[in-house]
Amino acid sequence: MTTPFGTSTVLGYPRIGPHRELKSALEGYWAGRVDAAALDTVADDLREQTWRTLRDAGLSAVPSNTFSLYDHVLDAAVAVDAVPQRFRRLGLDERDTYFAMARGTAQEPPLEMTKWFDTNYHYLVPEIGPETVLTARPGKPLKEYAQAEALGITTRPVLVGPATLLLLAKPTDDAPEGFTPFDRLDDLVDVYADLLGALADAGVPWVQLDEPAYVADRTDAETDALRAAYTRLGTLTRRPALFVAAYFGELGEALPALLDTPVEAVGLDLVAGPADLDRLAGYGPIPGRTVVAGLVDGRNVWRTDLRAAAAVGATLTGLADTVAVATSCSLLHVPVDLAAETDLDPQVRDRLAFARQKVDEVVLLGRALRDGVAALPAAAPPAPAGWRDDAVRARLDALRPEHTRRGPHPDRAAAQQARLGLPLLPTTTIGSFPQTDEVRRARAEHRAGRLDDAGYADRMRAEIARVVAEQETLGLDVLVHGEPERNDMVQYFAEHLDGFVATAHGWVQSYGSRCVRPPILHGDVSRRAPVTVGWSSYAQTLTDRPVKGMLTGPVTILAWSFVRADQPLSETARQVALALRDEARDLEAAGIRIVQVDEPALRELLPPRRRDHESYLDWAVAAFRLATSGVADATAIHTHLCYSEFGEVLPAIEALDADVTSIEASRSRMEILDDLATVGYTRGVGPGVYDIHSPRVPDHDEVTAALRRAVAVVPADRLWVNPDCGLKTRSYDQVRPALAALVRAARTVRAELPSTAPADTAAGRA
Ligand code: GLN
Ligand code: ZN
């Protein structure tokens, strides 16, 4: 007999702590200020706090092993001993080997990091090859389980499932062509069998295995492999009851595959993938199973309409023997506790639920499934009239296709070059310069009220003047103002636009000890006054060279905010785009000749299922074009993209119709240029010629080699020379020599160009 699952649970909980205690402890440990024992104490306390909070709130099933010192995917890799040799060789203890994989050491670069599905959380990519020896290392889940047991709280250890772990992994460098980590599924399932055995020996009643990779399109072979894996694990004689959870979308074909196996419980994200409900109904009776219904959104901060959610839960009760209520995914993606937000506009606050509040919602829903909905609070009232902006809506309604169309690119390019007079292979940067201590101090003092607006503006102008002078000395062709006034490229715009609020403590883990505080977009968006124009135009007064205006694009603003859920994202994107369009026109009117609109999150919001790609990319591209088509053809629109594999969004990059696209390329050795050519991209392109994410300083030869590779693929009259991202996380000691090398490399390669393309005139630029 299995222990019942319980009626209410969460799939995971924030691990950074209510006051980012984990961040301070980790950074202290890395800096040598905090010893291992003190770090462990902080971690123990945070876990204990979480379990007590969840139990005391009334959850009947509490997860464990959701805590992590860095990343839960790295934890899973370690739990199967997938530690690459290069880290073992360092001879560090277990904890420091783990941190070496996460952060690298002086000798070894870390594991690659990438986005966890369509969230802004980053995981470390496990490396698995044909020779990787996989072994069960159940220490961490066992230790956490025992720690909770000692408090009298029986928990459900959570692990990334074997299929998802392999689908997220990449082959080791020495793996033969054609090998994929998923080829190792049978071996890995053996290891999971050992892990489950060890947990069963410790008395663990339930285990949660997360398989979110199956909400994306998977091949039949991959779905069959999932079925086989869980059939195998399900038929083990010595194991806890199995709860397989998927989230961030619908399971689709993988749902019947899982139901074909002996797993005791299946978790569905009914917020992001409501269609799984019908699929479940179509499957027929599933006796003896628990369906864990993800009814409370783990990705957004709005209060749940509990009565509507209870109605969905009630439908399920007719389909499955046992129904439990849960969050749609781990609460890792939302801030910890709304109670900390004492200064928030009450009208916004009343409509919000952070992780702690979502736990209460889950508990209430769990009870409602048993006792009826009478005790459930009503849904949040409709948005106050003041959040609506009829003027913005009317302006958007009045827009016609001709308002968002620019002239043909060759004509634009000629008009732009006539104004800019740039050499071939113009050199530039992506926007931000190092954020010095003085800049941070000025921002902090201004925020705290110790520095008045005028004093703050003086300090920023001084910094801008310094950054402009730096760039002139370095010999860059197109300058930037350096973005000293921006804490964050999204938060800065949110603070200056109506329709957003900022939280004081709404931190969410981005990776490791890094946290972000996403703004909350609650109402119609509009621009009170110009946002960036003062800074950019001031920079332009200091130099004859063109200064690029610098805006964050509509998709990225949405991706890195919590966005209202009462209208489609596409509509909200248009409002943000309209505000940016006004800003771009004001920049132009102030004498700015190039406006860069950054969209690093373009790829991130791509839905997991291919059939949804087109509609997403349509509105994403339309929003960018709305933002950028208000300026004259003689004003150049640049964009910048990074942080991702661009394969699936290449046609959209072409469709953005930017005059110049700067794009991360240094690590892919310029392959992106061929890819862009394949989709017919014929406008300007600035492939990043060196990697700013590493403290390494490139030299002249290295940048020259990268540029030569680029010139071999893209005609020189379309090529720009720039680093692969903004410089704000680097120091001047790194940036100065790197940019000097970049400028010199551009000169070297210009001199190698055939003389039909004169190095200093505009002739023939298209
Ligand atoms: N303009 C921004 C910067 O330079 C772009 C940052 C990004 O791509 N993430 O910081
Ligand atoms: Zn970037």
Side-chain angles (χ1 to χ4, degrees):
M1 250 294 286
T2 32
T3 323
F5 182 85
T7 53
S8 53
T9 196
V10 296
L11 301 193
Y13 200 72
R15 48 223 185 188
I16 54 175
H19 306 286
R20 287 183 295 159
E21 292 87 343
L22 183 60
K23 178 188 179 70
S24 328
L26 282 172
E27 291 175 359
Y29 178 76
W30 296 331
R33 292 190 306 269
V34 167
D35 66 14
L39 175 61
D40 283 345
T41 306
V42 171
D44 283 345
D45 288 349
L46 286 172
R47 285 193 290 262
E48 181 171 334
Q49 237 183 79
T50 299
W51 294 321
R52 287 191 192 280
T53 301
L54 298 182
R55 188 213 28 206
D56 296 349
L59 280 188
S60 53
V62 173
S64 62
N65 203 40
T66 60
F67 177 82
S68 178
L69 281 177
Y70 204 97
D71 166 39
H72 55 274
V73 178
L74 179 59
D75 294 339
V78 169
V80 301
D81 213 23
V83 177
Q85 280 308 327
R86 59 193 172 95
F87 297 107
R88 293 183 195 271
R89 267 201 304 269
L90 298 170
L92 302 167
D93 68 11
E94 215 175 290
R95 181 188 292 100
D96 288 342
T97 305
Y98 177 88
F99 286 140
M101 290 164 79
R103 312 175 60 235
T105 65
Q107 304 97 309
E108 277 306 325
L111 293 179
E112 196 180 295
M113 190 166 70
T114 193
K115 300 240 169 179
W116 174 243
F117 301 92
D118 59 346
T119 75
N120 195 16
Y121 175 82
H122 304 66
Y123 72 91
L124 290 156
V125 182
E127 294 173 7
I128 294 182
E131 312 294 337
T132 305
V133 181
L134 300 168
T135 312
R137 301 276 180 224
K140 179 176 181 288
L142 281 176
K143 181 178 155 232
E144 295 193 13
Y145 179 79
Q147 190 196 344
E149 280 292 306
L151 302 169
I153 305 172
T154 294
T155 58
R156 176 187 79 242
V158 179
L159 289 164
V160 177
T164 291
L165 185 61
L166 291 176
L167 288 166
L168 295 178
K170 65 172 210 178
T172 46
D173 281 343
D174 59 0
E177 269 298 299
F179 169 87
T180 67
F182 202 71
D183 301 343
R184 300 287 312 272
L185 186 59
D186 286 347
D187 299 336
L188 190 63
V189 167
D190 286 341
V191 176
Y192 271 71
D194 292 343
L195 287 172
L196 293 178
L199 293 169
D201 287 347
V204 171
W206 281 89
V207 165
Q208 173 183 327
L209 296 172
D210 286 355
E211 294 287 5
Y214 280 82
V215 307
D217 295 319
R218 300 263 72 114
T219 63
D220 289 347
E222 286 164 344
T223 303
D224 290 343
L226 181 78
R227 183 190 288 106
Y230 283 96
T231 302
R232 176 77 222 292
L233 295 175
T235 43
L236 292 171
T237 48
R238 197 169 50 95
R239 65 166 177 89
L242 296 179
F243 164 37
V244 179
Y247 37 83
F248 301 148
E250 65 184 76
L251 262 175
E253 285 315 303
L255 176 55
L258 270 180
L259 292 172
D260 289 347
T261 75
V263 303
E264 282 79 8
V266 176
L268 303 176
D269 179 343
L270 296 176
V271 175
D276 276 345
L277 203 57
D278 299 326
R279 208 166 271 105
L280 193 67
Y283 187 81
I286 46 169
R289 303 309 175 83
T290 298
V291 172
V292 182
L295 295 171
V296 170
D297 192 351
R299 290 286 296 277
N300 214 333
V301 291
W302 308 103
R303 271 173 54 189
T304 306
D305 179 345
L306 292 174
R307 286 160 191 256
V312 177
T315 323
L316 272 170
T317 326
L319 300 174
D321 272 4
T322 321
V323 177
V325 177
T327 50
S328 64
C329 60
S330 167
L331 292 172
L332 174 67
H333 309 289
V334 293
V336 180
D337 194 348
L338 188 61
E341 298 301 325
T342 45
D343 293 337
L344 209 54
D345 171 355
Q347 288 200 310
V348 180
R349 196 178 185 282
D350 288 349
R351 289 172 170 75
L352 298 178
F354 290 177
R356 178 63 193 81
Q357 288 68 43
K358 285 172 187 281
V359 173
D360 289 340
E361 293 186 332
V362 169
V363 171
L364 284 173
L365 278 173
R367 293 198 185 126
L369 282 193
R370 194 186 57 208
D371 307 334
V373 298
L376 288 179
W387 291 5
R388 200 183 149 88
D389 189 328
D390 287 319
V392 165
R393 290 176 177 267
R395 285 184 63 203
L396 286 169
D397 285 345
L399 279 172
R400 297 289 162 259
E402 61 271 23
H403 299 133
T404 55
R405 215 176 289 131
R406 306 188 75 208
H409 176 256
D411 299 352
R412 275 167 17 210
Q416 291 159 17
Q417 178 58 10
R419 278 178 92 197
L420 295 168
L422 293 168
L424 282 168
L425 308 181
T427 53
T428 191
T429 61
I430 304 305
S432 58
F433 266 69
Q435 294 242 331
T436 58
D437 287 343
E438 297 87 85
V439 166
R440 286 181 215 277
R441 212 173 308 123
R443 262 210 317 269
E445 285 176 19
H446 184 231
R447 210 174 331 118
R450 292 193 301 275
L451 183 62
D452 65 13
D453 289 353
Y456 175 73
D458 282 346
R459 299 246 205 124
M460 290 300 123
R461 273 196 295 268
E463 174 66 10
I464 289 170
R466 219 186 47 68
V467 169
V468 167
E470 278 288 347
Q471 296 172 86
E472 290 204 316
T473 309
L474 282 162
L476 288 156
D477 298 309
V478 170
L479 311 194
V480 295
H481 78 286
E483 305 179 25
E485 77 287 6
R486 304 188 190 177
N487 37 13
D488 171 277
M489 66 188 286
V490 167
Q491 202 181 322
Y492 179 73
F493 285 90
E495 281 169 5
H496 288 83
L497 295 174
D498 277 345
F500 289 88
V501 294
T503 65
H505 307 281
W507 296 100
V508 176
Q509 187 179 24
S510 172
Y511 62 89
S513 66
R514 272 284 273 272
C515 301
V516 293
R517 207 155 32 105
I520 297 174
L521 190 170
H522 59 84
D524 285 354
V525 173
S526 64
R527 194 185 67 140
R528 295 187 284 276
V531 180
T532 67
V533 178
W535 307 125
S536 292
S537 56
Y538 172 66
Q540 187 64 85
T541 63
L542 302 172
T543 176
D544 293 333
R545 300 182 195 197
V547 171
K548 282 194 279 190
M550 207 47 71
L551 306 178
T552 303
V555 175
T556 300
I557 289 183
L558 295 194
W560 297 347
S561 302
F562 291 116
V563 181
R564 62 193 288 183
D566 61 345
Q567 67 179 21
L569 271 184
S570 54
E571 220 170 303
T572 309
R574 278 166 56 80
Q575 296 184 348
V576 175
L578 187 64
L580 295 170
R581 179 182 175 97
D582 293 344
E583 184 73 13
R585 292 174 73 129
D586 284 347
L587 283 167
E588 176 180 62
I592 296 296
R593 289 165 281 174
I594 304 178
V595 178
Q596 179 174 309
V597 179
D598 295 328
E599 281 292 23
L602 180 67
R603 169 68 180 73
E604 186 177 316
L605 280 195
L606 195 70
R609 299 274 176 190
R610 243 165 263 130
R611 61 161 189 265
D612 302 322
H613 286 186
E614 197 181 308
S615 59
Y616 160 67
L617 290 171
D618 280 353
W619 71 250
V621 167
F624 183 91
R625 292 178 70 146
L626 173 56
T628 53
S629 54
V631 298
D633 285 354
T635 297
I637 293 293
H638 288 205
T639 189
H640 168 68
L641 304 164
C642 60
Y643 298 141
S644 43
E645 293 282 326
F646 296 105
E648 293 180 291
V649 300
L650 285 166
I653 296 176
E654 157 64 20
L656 295 178
D657 194 31
D659 297 300
V660 177
T661 303
S662 68
I663 192 160
E664 195 171 295
S666 56
R667 279 178 289 186
S668 67
R669 298 181 60 83
M670 303 287 151
E671 280 158 23
I672 185 74
L673 295 177
D674 286 315
D675 299 345
L676 278 172
T678 310
V679 295
Y681 184 92
T682 53
R683 295 182 296 276
V685 62
V689 291
Y690 79 90
D691 176 12
I692 69 94
H693 300 94
S694 146
R696 261 196 70 249
V697 174
D699 62 17
H700 163 266
D701 292 356
E702 183 181 333
V703 180
T704 302
L707 261 182
R708 287 186 183 132
R709 278 198 297 277
V711 175
V713 188
V714 174
D717 61 357
R718 299 206 276 111
L719 202 58
W720 285 64
V721 184
N722 46 257
D724 72 350
C725 199
L727 304 169
K728 74 167 170 230
T729 55
R730 296 271 71 94
S731 68
Y732 272 102
D733 290 350
Q734 298 156 346
V735 163
R736 270 187 208 113
L739 291 180
L742 178 148
V743 169
R744 262 205 325 128
R747 288 189 186 133
T748 304
V749 178
R750 268 175 208 153
E752 294 168 2
L753 295 173
S755 54
T756 45
D760 54 356
T761 76
R765 287 177 68 87

